[in-house]
Every structure is written in C-alpha cells, then in structure tokens.
Amino acid sequence: MSQSTKPRLTDLPEWKALAAHYEVMRGVHLRELFARDPQRAERFTLSAAGLTLDYSKNRVTAETMQRLTALARACGVETARAAMFAGEPINRTENRPALHVALRNRSNTPIYAQGHDVMPEVNRVLARMQAFAQAVRSGEWRGFTGKPIRAIINIGIGGSDLGPAMAYEALKAYARRNLTVRFVSNVDAAHIGEATRDLAPEETLFIVTSKTFTTQETMTNAQTARAWCLAALKDEKAVARHFVAVSTNEKEVARFGIDPQNMFEFWDWVGGRYSLCSAVGLALMVAIAPEHFLAMLDGFHAMDRHFAEAPLERNLPVILGLLGVWYNNFFGAATHAILPYAQYLCRFPAYLQQADMESLGKSVDQQGRKVGWQTGQIIWGEPGTNGQHAFFQLIHQGTRLIPADFIGFCRAATGRAGQPCPAVLSGRTGCAALPSEIPRREIANHHVKLMANFFAQTEALAFGRTTAEVAKQGVLPELVPHKVFEGNRPTNTILAEELTPGVLGALIALYEHKIFTQGVIWDIDAFDQWGVELGKELAGRIQGELTAKAEPDLRHDSSTNALIQRYRQAPRMGATS
Ligand code: F6P
C-alpha cells in the first residue's frame, strides 16, 4: 500500500474494533482470566532465540491478541518488515535504509543497500576489529613508550556510548579483569576527569566513537583526552598509538589527527542507537574477546531470523509491540517499566530509553501530518530487587497503570557462555574460584533469593490481595484498605537460562524489533531524531553569550535572559577577568 493511500490509524476498522473490545476488557481482572482458563500460561508463552516470553499476566484474551495482530496486518507490519530486511530506504526523512540487521547477519547471505551487497564491507570491518582486539589483548599493540595497554576509554555519547557501555556491564563476567574499560560521554569535565585521574597515559588507549565525528560533547572530551595524553607523552606522534576512531566520517577523523589507518568505519545506514554490532562495539570486543562478541552477534541474528520469519501471532517482538500499543493507546498508560533482575543489566533500562524514546518520540506521521494518537511511551526502570525498595510501591498501589517487563535468568551469570559450573546449579562448591571471588555456593544462594523476588512480584502485581483476604489476616479494620492490593497490574516475564553474550544479543534485538513494530503501527519514522537538533542549535548560540567579553545583546525570553545574566555574574573557574 502506498503512503498516500494509507488510511489513518484511527480510521482503520481494526482500530475501531479494538476500541470497542477495550470497553469490554477494561473491567476484566486477571484473577478472572486465569480462573477461566487453566491453560492460560501455556497459551500465552512462547520461546525463541534462547528467550521465553510469558505474556499471560496481561489484560488480554485470545480475542484481544487476534484483534491486535489484525491491526498489525492492516498497518502493514509484514510488508514493512520485509522492506527493512531488503535494505529499502525505510528511514524516509533521511532517505536511508536502516540495516542494522546486516551487521549481525551471521548467515552471510547478501544484503543490499542502494543496490550493493553490504556484507563484504561488514565482514571486512569485523575482521579488522578482531585483529585489533587481539593485538590489544595480547600486548602486541603497544603504547608510545612501548608499554602494553592496560586501560581503554571509549569516548562517545548516545548510541556511540550507551550500547557498548551497557553491554560491557552486562557481560562483565566475560571481561578481561586486568584491563580497565571506561566510557566517557558527558561534556561535564567531571566525567573525563574522574575517568582518567588514576590512569597512566602511556598505558591508556582512547577509542573516539562518533558516527558524525562532529558531536560537541565527544569532540570536546576527545580534545581533552588528547591534551591529557600529550601532557605526559610530549610528542604528537603518540596520538597514533593512543587514539583510534570509530566513525563514518574519515575527513573529520583525519582533521582530529587520528590516522585513517586507525579508523574503524561504519555506514550511514546504521542508526546511532542501533549501532552496537558495528565498530561502535569495539571497546566491548576488546574487553570480552572477539569470540564472545561474535556469540553476541549470533544471538542478535537468531532473534532477527525469528522476527523475520515467525507469523505475527507467534512473533515475540511483535507481541511485545502490540501489548505496548494496547496499554498506551487504549488504557492510556504513559510509561513502561523495564525491570531486569540482574545487576549486570543495570544499564539496560538507560540503553532502552534511547532506543525506544529517540525512535518513537515523534508526533507527525510519515507524511508529516500531526498524529491523532499517542506514540512513544516513557521508558524507565532499575534492576530488581533494588526497585522493590524504591518505586514499586507506586506500581503496586498507585493510581496509574504501569505495565512492566520483568527480565530474569534461571542461573547466575558464570562468564562461561552457557556452560554452567555444576555447583551453580546444585548449590554445591566444585569449580575453582579465584581467591578473591565469592564462593559459588554463595552465588547460588543469592540467585535463588533474587529469583524468588522476581516471581513473587509479577504474581503480586497480577493478583493482588483482596479485602476479604486482608481481613482474614486479623488486620485492624481501619488498616484494611491500606493493605489491599487491587492487582490487575500487567507484566511480561522474559526468562532465559543465563545472561550469556548470545542471550544479551537476542534480548536487545527483541526490543529493537518491538520498537520497529510500534513505529509501523503508529506510522512514524522510527529511525530519525530531528527532535534533538533545536537544543544543539540554541546551545551553540548561548555558548557564545556565556563567554563573550562584552555584555551580549540577549534576545531570548525573559527567563533565559535572566538565567544567562546570573551565570555571567557568578565567579567561575578559568574566568579570564
Ligand atoms: O543527538 C542525538 C544523536 O544524534 C544520537 O542519535 C546519536 O546516537 C548521538 O547523538 C551521537 O552521535 P554521533 O555518534 O554522531 O556522535
């Protein structure tokens, strides 16, 4: 269906049918749905690419799911999905394909962008990354004074930071422990200052990661890193041994002084927030070793194939996307919580914030018309069990509906890529641990408690506790309403055996394709991000006003003018007058 003939979302009969169905479903409790159907959990559980999704604790019936998939079909999700994998320019406002699936196309079948197969280029850069990672890890790559590299700092922001930073945390169990790996993004000097203060420049390697190589924060941090390095090494030639670049912009890389030989390229068809599998993942690859990076790509690819091939009814990303539409557009849920029960996934909610909110935070449709429906939700979250002692109260007993994804693992991460130490499973000791490591028996003990909380929370959220149940506990009558849990709070449970590189890849791809599905349904461009430009433009102008010697002619609103004046009048470090 061509864009011009595409009917508006809310005019579709499938949308109207869902609106009518919502009127029936809004009063139905999960207690009733589970009581009605003993097979409910089985009916609403699916597995793919090492992940199991139980979506039975959602306020849906088989009819709801059938109506939602009918909507997805009417919106052209299948055609759009095929267009993405075929390299069509689905990022319309930038006239580009969004081909991150090519970066992890482990089957190596040709994938075309603008008529040419991108796989040879993808494989060539991947091979260069591997050679570089091995050279750094083995000590073959030396710093300017001949010392091996002991610290890597990735300098980047947004998609050039969040992906590798999140995945490095997630896969720390696989990381080389005698290599310090840090990620600097904020233009606040505190970030680069704290990241470098205990490091030796002659043993530190900076990876400057920026698709455009013009991003203010990254360039400022990179210049500061260069000055820090040269202050110690006192020779411009040192830059070649201590700086490499990841970018699409060779000209700017060379202008910065990095030898293009030390540049790892990627392509304009890789969106920043979808770039972890490109050379943007270089710091991660050095940290965890190429074989684990490749295992992560395998996991991405397995989920890509599932998304491309499974019918919508049995397609994990599509189901997550549709449930999001159900709560966002029909129940009016403004936010969606991401709750990983894994400390290693502590940066996952922040990573998904960019992936989801930068993709779906749009208010015009593909033809530039104002949409007449809600688009992206607010994505937020923290790892469990910490969140339970902080914001869970509001999810359990607050007045708002907050759908949530619970992500958990059957066993603690071992750093052994799916070959668990038998002791972890049985709770016995047996595998050799480093003297400073927590005994494996203790890890198993922690994990069972973590997972008991994981399962308890989704049960409590779904089923709550009724007035009658509270009263039975002999509670003072005036306290009864305070102790009642309404329940009927929807959750998805995503369970995997262990947080391995492959499982992490599948998990990220699951959310990428969820976001894609929602972008198609809401008829928006999920691959551009024009909304970040205005702030950048104004900051450029204001920077001049903050530093001007003479009193600037401020032409902002009265609030911004007054704040700038206040800043100018305060004594500051580095002030020239
Ligand atoms: O400002 C937003 C953004 O363009 C993101 O989309 C991107 O991931 C980030 O900035 C960093 O951009 P670059 O990799 O070009 O430095």
Side-chain angles (χ1 to χ4, degrees), residues 243-539:
F243 284 81
V244 301
V246 173
S247 188
T248 59
N249 190 344
E250 188 175 326
K251 212 166 106 211
E252 284 300 320
V253 168
R255 224 158 69 92
F256 178 86
I258 296 177
D259 184 345
Q261 302 266 28
N262 290 342
M263 169 175 150
F264 296 83
E265 63 269 53
F266 63 115
W267 309 273
D268 70 356
W269 44 261
V270 183
R273 53 192 176 275
Y274 298 94
S275 64
L276 171 61
C277 300
S278 73
V280 169
L282 186 62
L284 173 70
M285 188 194 265
V286 177
I288 64 170
E291 74 257 31
H292 293 133
F293 191 87
L294 296 180
M296 180 183 80
L297 299 189
D298 290 340
F300 267 98
H301 182 59
M303 184 55 75
D304 290 345
R305 292 322 311 155
H306 167 75
F307 176 59
E309 289 157 13
L312 302 188
E313 291 76 5
R314 304 192 58 76
N315 197 306
L316 270 62
V318 172
I319 288 169
L320 286 188
L322 291 174
L323 290 168
V325 169
W326 180 231
Y327 295 120
N328 184 5
N329 298 108
F330 296 95
F331 284 78
T335 87
H336 187 100
I338 303 291
L339 307 169
Y341 273 60
Q343 189 58 31
Y344 282 130
L345 285 180
C346 61
R347 299 283 287 146
F348 195 60
Y351 171 79
L352 280 190
Q353 276 177 337
Q354 188 201 12
D356 195 304
M357 293 164 82
E358 200 167 75
S359 297
L360 301 175
K362 313 287 161 66
S363 52
V364 295
D365 70 12
Q366 293 274 19
Q367 284 124 82
R369 300 171 299 187
K370 208 88 187 108
V371 292
W373 47 88
Q374 292 293 345
T375 59
Q377 289 180 291
I378 298 154
I379 302 295
W380 61 286
E382 277 289 320
T385 58
N386 291 3
Q388 289 174 209
H389 300 272
F391 53 78
F392 269 48
Q393 168 65 36
L394 190 139
I395 309 184
H396 279 290
Q397 285 188 314
T399 52
R400 294 173 194 282
L401 183 74
I402 303 178
D405 292 354
F406 281 70
I407 304 166
F409 303 92
C410 296
R411 56 178 182 261
T414 59
R416 289 159 193 256
Q419 299 162 334
C421 163
V424 173
L425 294 175
S426 66
R428 286 178 294 103
T429 46
C431 293
L434 293 173
S436 59
E437 277 181 354
I438 289 170
R440 296 196 182 272
R441 186 183 44 215
E442 295 309 326
I443 295 176
N445 173 38
H446 280 251
H447 198 70
V448 77
K449 290 177 181 162
L450 177 71
M451 293 308 285
N453 277 279
F454 176 82
F455 296 120
Q457 286 299 324
T458 59
E459 186 179 6
L461 286 163
F463 303 105
R465 180 160 280 164
T466 62
T467 309
E469 285 164 346
V470 177
K472 248 199 243 157
Q473 293 182 321
V475 169
L476 287 174
E478 63 270 30
L479 285 184
V480 170
H482 298 277
K483 298 207 169 192
V484 167
F485 287 70
E486 243 174 54
N488 220 12
R489 274 40 178 180
T491 59
N492 292 307
T493 298
I494 298 166
L495 191 63
E497 282 192 17
E498 184 183 334
L499 180 55
T500 60
V503 164
L504 179 70
L507 190 63
I508 300 169
L510 170 71
Y511 281 99
E512 285 179 346
H513 299 317
K514 170 199 170 181
I515 293 164
F516 175 84
T517 302
Q518 294 187 330
V520 176
I521 291 177
W522 291 327
D523 195 20
I524 55 181
D525 190 332
F527 296 103
D528 64 13
Q529 59 283 318
W530 300 107
V532 297
E533 295 305 323
L534 177 61
K536 286 187 195 171
E537 217 176 286
L538 293 182

Side-chain angles (χ1 to χ4, degrees), residues 161-228:
D161 166 73
L162 285 162
M166 174 279 289
Y168 171 67
E169 280 303 322
L171 300 177
K172 225 177 208 166
Y174 294 81
R176 168 164 273 188
R177 300 296 183 165
N178 60 2
L179 187 70
T180 300
V181 181
R182 292 180 182 159
F183 294 84
V184 169
S185 53
N186 202 327
V187 76
D188 184 341
H191 208 175
I192 183 91
E194 291 298 333
T196 49
R197 66 183 305 136
D198 58 345
L199 300 181
E202 67 268 31
E203 296 173 346
T204 303
L205 179 80
F206 292 93
I207 302 179
V208 185
T209 305
S210 174
K211 182 173 172 181
T212 55
F213 231 73
T214 55
T215 303
Q216 185 201 47
E217 295 90 332
T218 301
M219 291 305 109
T220 306
N221 279 322
Q223 291 294 357
T224 301
R226 194 174 193 276
W228 176 81

